[in-house]
């Protein structure tokens, strides 16, 4: 059934070069919410990671792609407590974002406060436009 669905949706078109269909179908247990803002100096990515520690989060920039990954562990079940509903999400997550060419990947910084991961993506300074005279031959 999975092969039929993949053929119907033409998932091979979305596979990475030299990759396999399994790579495309990787699904995280949950997806943290992310806000992305921009000003003249930087792009800021803020990911909501409640009840997580900074040690449980990994941030990488590789070949123009920002990746945030980690795992939110479920607290040990208390046998003395009766659970009626658990709506909070737990497990592994992975978010990836393609960065614009203007981002200085070697200057990316991240900080984790109050369950929110702030990633600062500074922009490369734009060279001042200068007029160049072209001689016509």
């Amino acid at each position: 059934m999975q092969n039929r669905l993949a053929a119907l949706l033409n998932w091979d078109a979305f596979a990475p070069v030299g990759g396999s269909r399994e790579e495309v179908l990787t699904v995280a247990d949950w997806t943290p919410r992310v806000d992305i803002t921009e000003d003249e100096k930087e792009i800021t990515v803020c990911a909501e990671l409640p009840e997580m520690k900074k040690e449980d989060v990994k941030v990488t920039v590789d070949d123009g792609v920002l990746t945030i990954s980690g795992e939110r562990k479920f607290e040990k079940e208390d046998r003395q407590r009766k659970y009626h509903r658990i709506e909070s999400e737990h497990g592994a997550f992975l978010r990836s974002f393609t960065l614009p060419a203007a981002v200085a990947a070697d200057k990316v910084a991240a900080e984790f406060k109050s369950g929110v991961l702030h990633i600062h993506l500074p922009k490369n300074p734009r060279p001042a436009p200068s007029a160049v005279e072209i001689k016509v031959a």
Side-chain angles (χ1 to χ4, degrees), residues 13-124:
F14 299 102
V17 175
S20 66
R21 186 175 295 142
E22 287 76 26
E23 290 175 315
V24 175
L25 297 177
T26 302
V27 177
D29 293 334
W30 68 288
T31 304
R33 295 175 185 258
V34 174
D35 294 334
I36 301 174
T37 59
E38 180 177 4
D39 62 24
E40 304 82 38
K41 296 180 181 180
E42 70 179 7
I43 297 171
T44 305
V45 178
C46 296
E48 295 178 2
L49 302 170
E51 299 180 21
M52 288 192 68
K53 298 175 186 169
K54 67 179 181 179
E55 297 82 23
D56 297 329
V57 179
K58 182 178 178 182
V59 179
T60 60
V61 175
D62 185 25
D63 199 23
V65 176
L66 170 70
T67 301
I68 307 167
S69 61
E71 184 174 0
R72 188 162 129 192
K73 297 176 175 73
F74 183 68
E75 63 183 58
K76 293 182 181 180
E77 187 175 330
D78 184 356
R79 299 282 181 193
Q80 305 298 323
R81 181 174 272 169
K82 186 176 183 180
Y83 290 87
H84 292 279
R85 181 181 302 193
I86 299 174
E87 293 186 353
S88 56
E89 298 175 301
H90 298 84
F93 68 88
L94 181 118
R95 298 290 310 262
S96 293
F97 305 94
T98 301
L99 299 175
V103 169
D106 59 333
K107 296 179 182 172
V108 173
E111 59 185 337
F112 192 83
K113 303 191 273 193
S114 304
V116 179
L117 175 67
H118 300 269
I119 304 170
H120 302 277
L121 304 155
K123 295 180 181 178
N124 285 319

Side-chain angles (χ1 to χ4, degrees), residues 126-134:
R126 289 186 179 169
S130 60
V132 177
E133 185 177 335
I134 308 296

